[in-house]
Amino acid sequence: MRTNPILLAAALLLSLSACKQDKADLAPPPPAALTADAVGHYCGMNLADHPGPKGQILVKGQERPIWLSSVRDTFAFTMLPEEPKEISAIYVTDVGRAKDPAAPDLTVWVEARKAWYVLGSGLRGGMGDAEPYPFAEEAAARAFAAANGGTVQRFAEVHEDQILTPPAGPVAEGGH
């Protein structure tokens, strides 16, 4: 029995296009643009009223992102059992592209699970709590930790006790 090369080629192309579609389905949706009316999920206050990095969580089946006033709140959302777990994407602002960590560019987002975080630095977040500072690049995170203290960790390495019960400590000069 002889195989028809045209049918074989068609079958191969069909399977390749199915693979591309599967990969497109797995790609996370892009981050939403921060709007003037964005309100923090936990505090109910406008995000613009808080200094420091922010977060957004895209939940499957919801059109609008869940905005979070801090990266600490973003982590907490993923850890608390009462929050939705069908998450399409998690984004945090990239502090590495900011001149001042208290005022990051709110148009520059990094997928949270791919970011590098500095935990335990001398700086505080917008609500005065210990804040994980996110970076798209490891080198930027390490330089920040060298200048401000803290340890560099990946998203999956951060434990609940570091977020839900962060250590109290003095606020560094100029920290928020």
Side-chain angles (χ1 to χ4, degrees), residues 5-21:
I6 294 174
L7 287 177
L8 185 59
L12 184 59
L13 286 175
L14 185 61
S15 66
L16 285 175
S17 68
C19 285
K20 284 184 180 179
Q21 183 61 42

Side-chain angles (χ1 to χ4, degrees), residues 12-165:
L12 184 59
L13 286 175
L14 185 61
S15 66
L16 285 175
S17 68
C19 285
K20 284 184 180 179
Q21 183 61 42
D22 287 346
K23 286 183 182 178
D25 291 342
L26 296 176
L34 186 69
T35 59
D37 65 342
V39 171
H41 179 69
Y42 294 118
C43 68
M45 297 170 66
N46 191 293
L47 260 61
D49 293 342
H50 298 285
K54 313 285 184 261
Q56 61 174 286
I57 295 181
L58 306 175
V59 175
K60 290 178 184 174
Q62 292 185 16
E63 274 186 46
R64 302 182 80 191
I66 295 171
W67 293 106
L68 296 136
S69 302
S70 69
V71 175
R72 181 177 171 269
D73 285 355
T74 306
F75 270 102
F77 186 97
T78 67
M79 295 171 173
L80 295 171
E82 65 270 18
E83 299 297 0
K85 300 302 173 212
E86 292 292 317
I87 295 172
S88 299
I90 306 168
Y91 291 101
V92 289
T93 48
D94 179 10
V95 174
R97 310 254 314 271
K99 290 182 176 132
D100 177 0
D105 182 343
L106 298 179
T107 65
V108 181
W109 300 94
V110 58
E111 213 298 332
R113 292 167 282 202
K114 295 180 180 177
W116 298 85
Y117 297 89
V118 176
L119 278 83
S121 77
L123 303 180
R124 294 290 178 242
M127 298 297 278
D129 294 323
E131 179 71 7
Y133 283 88
F135 297 83
E137 303 294 328
E138 180 182 12
R142 295 208 179 276
F144 182 88
N148 298 290
T151 60
V152 177
Q153 293 179 260
R154 298 307 299 261
F155 187 88
E157 298 169 334
V158 177
H159 299 285
E160 286 184 16
D161 60 337
Q162 293 173 289
I163 299 300
L164 301 178
T165 55

